[in-house]
Amino acid sequence: MNDSTFQTNNSSFAAADNMQAGTILLSASTITGDDVYNMQDEELGKIQDVMLDIAEGKIRYAVLASGGFLGMGDRLFAVPWKALKLDEANNRFILDVDVDSLKDAPGFDKDQWPNMADTSWNSTVESFYTR
């Protein structure tokens, strides 16, 4: 996370009448490449992309790249945005999934992205990360 694009509701750039206490704004470009760890402090991967739901005006998924070496052989996972928690102190995100469980998560190859608008696929992904 680039600190220059990290804005809280105390920032002069945030419109106070449109913000709630504790609101945090990050640019999509600074989230890309951020580390994702689990609750056991094990690295799960890095955020490769952010998928926006244009109709609803919100972030739907963070695309997590995991399991490769130097960017080669990474498996991709569409993680529901609401499943990630911001770890401000360590400039990273937390996902409550252990390393072995992530291997069983619905994933995809970088050259064969799923249709993320498909309701069946969406249901499978959401149910995996919902506890």
Side-chain angles (χ1 to χ4, degrees):
M1 264 178 273
N2 181 337
D3 290 335
S4 66
T5 55
F6 181 82
Q7 300 176 359
T8 66
N9 64 328
N10 296 328
S11 168
S12 60
F13 298 103
D17 57 333
N18 291 331
M19 306 293 277
Q20 295 178 334
T23 299
I24 296 172
L25 299 176
L26 296 170
S27 74
S29 63
T30 61
I31 293 171
T32 303
D34 277 359
D35 293 327
V36 177
Y37 278 71
N38 64 15
M39 303 297 282
Q40 295 78 32
D41 205 34
E42 298 169 316
E43 185 174 7
L44 297 176
K46 294 187 181 298
I47 294 177
Q48 179 172 319
D49 213 335
V50 177
M51 303 304 294
L52 305 173
D53 182 330
I54 300 301
E56 293 190 29
K58 64 181 182 179
I59 298 173
R60 180 60 63 95
Y61 300 105
V63 177
L64 175 67
S66 181
F69 180 71
L70 299 175
M72 303 294 292
D74 282 344
R75 188 159 181 227
L76 303 178
F77 302 92
V79 177
W81 185 251
K82 62 187 174 189
L84 293 167
K85 304 292 182 238
L86 179 62
D87 178 359
E88 290 181 61
N90 295 301
N91 291 335
R92 64 187 184 185
F93 288 89
I94 302 294
L95 177 63
D96 189 11
V97 172
D98 64 55
V99 173
D100 289 331
S101 293
L102 186 61
K103 293 175 185 174
D104 296 328
F108 55 97
D109 184 70
K110 68 177 181 158
D111 296 323
Q112 293 184 321
W113 284 51
N115 176 1
M116 293 184 183
D118 177 64
T119 55
S120 175
W121 181 86
N122 185 306
S123 178
T124 300
V125 170
E126 293 283 336
S127 66
F128 181 84
Y129 293 99
T130 304
R131 298 181 190 256

